[in-house]
Amino acid sequence: MACRISELVLGCREPEVLARFWCEVLDFVVLDREEDGTLEIGPREGFGGPQPTIILSRRDEPEKGKSRLHIDVNATDRDQDAELERLLKLGARPADIGQTGEEPWHVLADPEGNEFCLLRARLAPLAGDSGTAG
């Protein structure tokens, strides 16, 4: 037996802002809202499918130190350059973490500064993906 990643938890100041961003990036929807402002976003089929959900947990102050975990994404329906353009229009910004410029990926930051990478390879969509952002 083995474990599987079911949820990723991201502490943030503005869960609604990050929910809009990551729902557009990943074609996710809001699955749950808690009274404390915490949101769960994920694929339309909900929790427990092939993709983990993301819990956006409201925090007034960022956690100390640099996050040791970041998300990598791959385009499913366009090349890397077109996906980079789309992500920048959604509010991502380039992030400099000391890369040389020769890497086959782009380092970006979401609206709260959380780093993530756009990788070069295009992946096949998961079965049932609608291909439209919600």
Side-chain angles (χ1 to χ4, degrees):
M1 266 192 143
C3 290
R4 189 165 68 112
I5 295 173
S6 59
E7 299 173 338
L8 300 172
V9 179
L10 181 60
C12 58
R13 289 179 296 282
E14 297 186 63
E16 291 284 346
V17 171
L18 283 190
R20 281 191 300 274
F21 176 80
W22 285 108
C23 281
E24 287 290 329
V25 170
L26 300 170
D27 191 28
F28 276 13
V29 296
V30 174
L31 299 172
D32 190 28
R33 281 186 164 81
E34 298 292 327
E35 288 183 25
D36 67 358
T38 296
L39 296 172
E40 181 176 15
I41 63 172
R44 295 175 196 311
E45 59 273 8
F47 177 83
Q51 295 187 82
T53 63
I54 299 174
I55 306 291
L56 300 166
S57 177
R58 174 119 169 63
R59 307 258 169 80
D60 291 329
E61 294 295 323
E63 293 182 22
K64 294 183 181 186
K66 181 177 166 96
S67 174
R68 295 175 61 183
L69 177 71
H70 73 261
I71 296 172
D72 288 344
V73 298
N74 295 71
T76 60
D77 63 350
R78 64 197 75 189
D79 67 22
Q80 185 187 40
D81 290 339
E83 184 63 2
L84 176 62
E85 184 177 325
R86 184 181 84 89
L87 295 175
L88 293 172
K89 285 180 182 174
L90 291 174
R93 359 179 249 291
D96 183 357
I97 60 167
Q99 58 270 42
T100 66
E102 299 299 317
E103 294 83 4
W105 62 83
H106 295 278
V107 182
L108 303 167
D110 73 13
E112 285 202 9
N114 301 298
E115 294 164 359
F116 68 101
C117 293
L118 170 61
L119 305 182
R120 179 180 292 164
R122 186 184 307 180
L123 297 180
L126 293 172
D129 274 358
S130 68
T132 60

